[in-house]
Amino acid sequence: MANKNTAKVRLAVDSFGKRAEFDDIKVGAPLEPMEWVVTDEDIEKQCRIDEDYNECYLLDSAYGTRVAPPQIQYRPPRWMLTRTFNVRGVFYKWEFESFKAIKPGKKIMITGKIVNKWIKNDREYIEFEAVGHDETREKVFFTRRTHVLDMVGRTAPREGSGIDSGHKPEKI
């Protein structure tokens, strides 16, 4: 039998400061934009995570260089959300579309915003999207994600402080 979450409170403060509250997150609010340059090491790390060693990720491809696995774009939008709003929780839905190969050493500018939020089954959900463009302003990827803010019901009070989930938003 699975362990049931018996927590009675949601943390108000963690090691990154005051946690954002549902009412503080506004539909249309921009996420902190970021520049991202994928390195050869990033590609190798992603290949290890996915256990995907396709030769176009390791050696060369039809693009004239190695390219990154498309799922490498998962982390930067998450960092943007966490830098903009100190939230924890889990992803509920994730979709993405790739338009161009991600090459090592090429700069990608990523912007995003909150596009929706709602309450369902005593849980708070936010939906955000992000888009990455290369230096020529061509779209590289698009993602839309739904995130449930706390696994503890929204009717549980926010009190006390504690450590975060161990995630530290990376600085690129």
Side-chain angles (χ1 to χ4, degrees):
M1 183 159 133
N3 291 336
K4 185 177 180 183
N5 184 349
T6 58
K8 304 290 187 222
V9 299
R10 299 180 296 160
L11 292 180
V13 177
D14 66 20
S15 58
F16 294 104
K18 181 183 181 294
R19 289 218 178 149
E21 296 186 31
F22 184 72
D23 292 337
D24 297 335
I25 301 171
K26 305 295 184 206
V27 173
L31 301 179
E32 180 182 324
M34 66 179 284
E35 266 185 18
W36 181 45
V37 178
V38 174
T39 66
D40 286 316
E41 293 78 19
D42 294 331
I43 294 172
E44 290 161 12
K45 179 180 179 180
Q46 190 68 49
C47 290
R48 281 192 310 274
I49 289 169
D50 297 331
E51 296 182 3
D52 185 354
Y53 300 99
N54 187 294
E55 67 182 47
C56 68
Y57 307 146
L58 301 173
L59 303 171
D60 205 354
S61 71
Y63 299 100
T65 184
R66 75 189 298 192
V67 296
Q71 62 274 24
I72 201 167
Q73 63 82 19
Y74 171 82
R75 289 184 304 275
R78 173 70 168 118
W79 298 331
M80 291 169 50
L81 175 65
T82 308
R83 289 177 188 171
T84 307
F85 300 104
N86 186 18
V87 296
R88 300 298 176 270
V90 297
F91 280 112
Y92 176 67
K93 292 181 183 178
W94 175 39
E95 63 183 86
F96 73 92
E97 187 171 359
S98 296
F99 299 96
K100 289 182 72 175
I102 297 174
K103 299 177 183 179
K106 300 295 182 182
K107 188 184 312 179
I108 300 173
M109 185 62 186
I110 308 168
T111 57
K113 65 182 176 180
I114 303 294
V115 294
N116 198 4
K117 70 180 199 173
W118 64 92
I119 298 166
K120 179 180 174 184
N121 298 329
D122 198 36
R123 301 290 188 270
E124 300 166 334
Y125 294 82
I126 59 171
E127 182 179 25
F128 69 99
E129 61 186 32
V131 62
H133 289 91
D134 66 14
E135 293 170 325
T136 65
R137 298 187 180 188
E138 288 187 68
K139 191 184 293 186
V140 176
F141 69 83
F142 172 82
T143 186
R144 179 172 289 137
R145 300 168 186 196
T146 303
H147 186 86
V148 59
L149 293 183
D150 285 301
M151 293 311 295
V152 178
R154 79 179 311 257
T155 52
R158 283 199 179 271
E159 27 182 81
S161 62
I163 60 171
D164 66 280
S165 63
H167 170 75
K168 182 177 181 181
E170 295 188 28
K171 294 291 182 188
I172 302 281

